[in-house]
Amino acid sequence: MDLFEEVEVEAYVYPTEDIEKVKKAMLNLIPDLEFEAFDKGDYILLTGKTKSRKALSRLYELFRGQAILDTARSFLEEGYFGEEIIIRVNKQAAYAGVVNFNEESALGPITIIIRTKDPKRLMKWLAPRTKDGVPIE
């Protein structure tokens, strides 16, 4: 069984920003995105979607590489509604290839929406509970 059906990523792109850099920031977290851009006047709504099996592999690696499994787990649990898990991350940090859940930024966050039939299993895989930094699930 697949862990998820689809991953969607979205961000507002303001006139002061380079849309290609925002795409790169999104792709640094979720590979294989297919983008669409919607002009909203004051900003562009940039969305990326993928059903690629590797879509969450980068987040999986980043959560472990940055040793932020417990933090990631709490944000995943907080953003879990039915068959969707929604997390928001800092756009500039994502551009640098890092996950930062501090979304306080003038340019707004990147929103990641994971659609899954089994959110608990997905969370356990993506960000297991840890003890002294070691996964225990």
Side-chain angles (χ1 to χ4, degrees), residues 33-132:
L33 291 170
E34 289 180 31
F35 289 104
E36 280 189 281
F38 304 93
D39 191 338
K40 300 290 188 182
D42 294 338
Y43 61 88
I44 292 168
L45 174 61
L46 180 65
T47 65
K49 291 184 180 173
T50 180
K51 293 182 186 316
S52 165
R53 303 177 121 238
K54 291 189 292 209
L56 297 175
S57 59
R58 187 82 184 108
L59 280 182
Y60 180 95
E61 291 164 11
L62 288 168
F63 289 169
R64 283 154 181 78
Q66 291 177 230
I68 56 169
L69 284 174
D70 291 324
T71 305
R73 177 71 178 227
S74 67
F75 277 94
L76 289 168
E77 287 176 345
E78 203 175 285
Y80 150 52
F81 306 96
E83 293 187 350
E84 286 190 342
I85 299 171
I86 301 172
I87 54 174
R88 291 178 178 80
V89 297
N90 184 288
K91 201 188 283 179
Q92 284 95 335
Y95 183 74
V98 176
V99 173
N100 183 335
F101 292 102
N102 176 9
E103 41 180 294
E104 295 306 314
S105 157
L107 301 175
I110 289 175
T111 302
I112 301 170
I113 303 148
I114 305 166
R115 297 191 175 88
T116 173
K117 298 251 186 286
D118 195 346
K120 294 214 181 338
R121 184 164 161 249
L122 182 127
M123 286 189 268
K124 190 181 278 193
W125 172 77
L126 190 57
R129 289 195 173 82
T130 67
K131 183 173 173 33
D132 302 324

